[in-house]
Amino acid sequence: MDKLLSVVVSVYNEEQALPLFYQTAKPVLESLPWDYEILFVNDGSQDGSLEFLRGLAEGDSHVKVIGFSRNFGHEAAMIAGIDYARGDGIVCMDADLQHPPACLPEIVEKLGEGCGVITMVRTQNASAGVVKNITSAGFYWLINTLSDVKFEPNASDFFAVSRQAADVLRQNYREKVRFLRGYVQNIGFRRAAICYEAQERAAGESKYSIRKLFTFSINTILCFSNLPLKLGIYAGGLAGLMGIAVMVYTLCTRQGAPSGYATIVILNCFMFAVLFLIVGIIGEYMAILFSELKDRPIYIVGNTWNVGEHEDKEGS
Ligand code: UDP
Ligand code: MG
């Protein structure tokens, strides 16, 4: 067995799901023609997840644990796992069994054939409600309209990359406001897609609230498209044309001064609304620029287990 598969699992308060995940994934991984490592990235869980993972790491040398110093979010957890992974192929998946480990043999087969990027396409999302499915479709429509970069609507945070593709993510995609799924779909390489049926969450609750998803969607659109920045130019052009039309109308009809009050108020409100909206959009871009400029770390590792003999930290 010369090849190694790294499975990156992000974990945030998953103490109920983790035992199930391990029990399900372990036999599948054992049956693979490749050697494997499971990298659990504990994203500052407040429950017993870390203790459980530490126990696993002690009993199983395939299990590696990277513990963040606090919660940094799912995106940070995935890139940390990729940073630490040593595999010839790397798979990212959730700890809640929504991404079935049963797909791993097929992924390894594709990686063996020389695929650089394997996107896992969701055919059905059993656990997402109607609202989540509709908003998700709306988000993908909007981003595909606004951005040059094309997004696969049913792609998920379940994907696999070769070592070469992972190196690109490690070295060149160190943005602070992140969307790993978007980068993976746009780095090129030989690609393959595998369909899977998203399962119900094995245990626990989703960590993504509608509000969190909304902020995440706005940031993603801004990071992948410059079009909103040009809204000012379009709005300016439109307001100019409207001004000319009103001017021509006034001159032609020679209306007396007192009438037209309502028109003025409505136009004023409308103009201010557009103006503030545009200022707000510029503000959002500035916020992203500011985070990139500060160049703070994407994540901070507090402790690790089984990651490397000399590297393991068991700090606070
Ligand atoms: N997660 C994380 N940090 C967070 C939130 C979530 O590492 O701040 C992990 C979580 O433990 C899970 C994965 O990211 O393994 C996806 O989260 P979740 O299942 O809650 O999202 P959903 O599948 O509902 O979109
Ligand atoms: Mg999930």
Side-chain angles (χ1 to χ4, degrees), residues 131-132 135 139 206-220 284:
V131 178
K132 222 171 178 178
T135 45
F139 164 71
S206 172
K207 313 293 181 295
Y208 278 102
S209 60
I210 295 283
R211 201 174 126 242
K212 233 169 153 183
L213 280 174
F214 183 72
T215 318
F216 187 65
S217 308
I218 297 280
N219 278 340
T220 306
E284 289 290 320

Side-chain angles (χ1 to χ4, degrees), residues 14 94-99 127 199 201 205-208:
E14 300 281 7
D94 285 7
D96 54 13
L97 286 177
Q98 280 186 307
H99 303 153
S127 70
Q199 308 295 314
R201 208 171 212 291
E205 286 172 2
S206 172
K207 313 293 181 295
Y208 278 102

Side-chain angles (χ1 to χ4, degrees), residues 141-154:
W141 172 81
L142 193 63
I143 198 158
N144 276 327
T145 314
L146 292 180
S147 173
D148 301 334
V149 171
K150 286 297 157 245
F151 291 83
E152 164 70 51
N154 288 316

Side-chain angles (χ1 to χ4, degrees), residues 243-256:
I244 292 171
V246 172
M247 188 181 75
V248 171
Y249 175 78
T250 316
L251 287 179
C252 290
T253 56
R254 291 183 188 279
Q255 276 193 336

Side-chain angles (χ1 to χ4, degrees), residues 3-7 29 32 34-37 89 91 108 111:
K3 296 234 175 180
L4 177 72
L5 180 75
S6 303
V7 179
L29 288 164
L32 293 176
W34 289 20
D35 198 3
Y36 68 92
E37 59 177 4
V91 183
V108 167
L111 285 169

